[in-house]
Amino acid sequence: MTLPDPPQAIRTEPITDPTAWLAAELPVPEGVVHELTPAHLDEIAALTKALRTEPLPLLADREPWRALARRTMPLLSELAHSTAHRTETHIGTAVLRGLPVAELAPDEIRGLYRALGAVMGTAVSQNTRGEYIADVRDYGNGGLDNSAVRGHQTTSALRFHSDDGDLALLLCVRPAADGGTSLIASAMTIYNELLRRAPHLLGLYYNGFVYENRDEEDPPAYRNAVFGYYHGQLTCRYFLRDYVDSSPAVTHVPVSDLERHALDLFEALAARPGAATEYALRAGDLQLVNNNIVVHARRSFSDGTGGGGGGRLLLRQWVNLDGGRQFPTTLCRHRYGMRKKPDARD
């Protein structure tokens, strides 16, 4: 008789490395900040000049963008690459500060951003249109109670959550007139608290929850684990709770009371006093959030009623790190991007 392979192991020991932290332990609210130097700004000017003579489409493959970045911005490319990869073993987040967004045209901002993402890792599609860069702004369609709305399209507060790629990159082009601050908490610290307070629930987090796909991809719903322990590494993916709450509309299977309790507990641990750091992104900040290690949230925001220049605008990329950790799609269905629907509009 052939015995079946054992199921995935559940980690029963706490995380004791730097990926488990509390806000008070961080030297600054952003955790790690790298201020761009005049030499970096000169390199950015060289990149934008090169793009004027040798334009590259944003949907081009990674390699030409990475080659251009390394050729025109060697110092900034090395800083971006090393900062991105350090998030895997350090606190899971950092900020590159001082990108000259006010001095660049919109297409130059996106070109610079695509190039920086390409030296950090491989960008993946964020929607069924195949876009590598998504606008995070008010789309004017209401909040997440509308099942056609995704988190980056609303002014509403966003609960603690993960995004799909290893890294979520957010470049602040224009901050909000009011609100919109970022909150980041260590998912490893949350796990340690779950071990201490509710070890009987761990199997539920490893089994996962059913999420609505929000009309982005077939099937209309899917199951995704919150934690996975593979190759000696604990990894987290906690997607927006709102997508669990709306899933019965398409699955016709209710969310159980125990599942709701587990979701409530995870978010309470992320939001408890002292757990999360909070700060406002400035124009020109490039925030790195490692989805394997931390969860992030956002306060609601308002764009105000007057003034020129438009409302709050962040640009988002999802990037997978070179040589990144290995885990199955049951822990992150869209880690390698969303597949384009046959009827998707370009």
Side-chain angles (χ1 to χ4, degrees), residues 123-191:
V124 300
S125 167
Q126 299 183 55
N127 51 46
T128 54
R129 295 181 299 281
E131 293 176 332
Y132 293 139
I133 297 176
D135 288 12
V136 181
R137 58 177 175 84
D138 180 14
Y139 284 62
N141 297 321
L144 290 174
D145 54 339
N146 178 352
S147 64
V149 173
R150 291 175 60 191
H152 66 282
Q153 299 170 334
T154 174
T155 65
S156 301
L158 300 181
R159 305 170 190 249
F160 280 99
H161 66 282
S162 312
D163 286 355
D164 289 274
D166 292 341
L167 285 180
L169 306 179
L170 286 170
L171 172 60
C172 181
V173 179
R174 292 186 301 271
D178 182 60
T181 55
S182 292
L183 299 93
I184 300 175
S186 167
M188 303 297 103
T189 299
I190 295 171
Y191 191 84

Side-chain angles (χ1 to χ4, degrees), residues 3 31 41 59 73 76 123 131 136 138 148 156 177 189 201-202 211 216 230 244 285 308 322 337:
L3 295 176
L41 299 179
L59 292 179
M73 304 188 301
L76 185 52
E131 293 176 332
V136 181
D138 180 14
S156 301
T189 299
L201 293 178
L202 288 178
Y211 295 83
E216 278 290 350
Y230 299 98
V244 177
D285 279 357
D322 297 329

Side-chain angles (χ1 to χ4, degrees), residues 286-307:
L286 173 51
Q287 180 190 65
L288 291 73
V289 175
N290 190 308
N291 293 302
N292 299 322
I293 291 168
V294 300
V295 288
H296 59 287
R298 187 193 72 201
R299 303 289 187 193
S300 63
F301 70 89
S302 169
D303 286 329
T305 57

Side-chain angles (χ1 to χ4, degrees), residues 88 122-128 131 134 150-152 161-169 211-214 216-217 222-225 235-240 243 289-296 316-321 325 327-339:
E88 272 284 279
T122 301
V124 300
S125 167
Q126 299 183 55
N127 51 46
T128 54
E131 293 176 332
R150 291 175 60 191
H152 66 282
H161 66 282
S162 312
D163 286 355
D164 289 274
D166 292 341
L167 285 180
L169 306 179
Y211 295 83
E212 185 191 9
N213 239 331
R214 294 273 159 146
E216 278 290 350
E217 199 180 50
Y222 62 96
R223 180 174 294 278
N224 207 92
T235 300
C236 180
R237 281 298 190 283
Y238 184 83
F239 295 136
L240 275 170
Y243 300 176
V289 175
N290 190 308
N291 293 302
N292 299 322
I293 291 168
V294 300
V295 288
H296 59 287
R316 186 180 71 183
Q317 289 191 72
W318 291 342
V319 170
N320 288 329
L321 296 169
R325 57 184 70 192
F327 53 82
T329 54
T330 52
L331 182 54
C332 186
R333 175 180 174 84
H334 300 128
R335 186 186 187 193
Y336 299 102
M338 293 185 176
R339 295 179 292 276

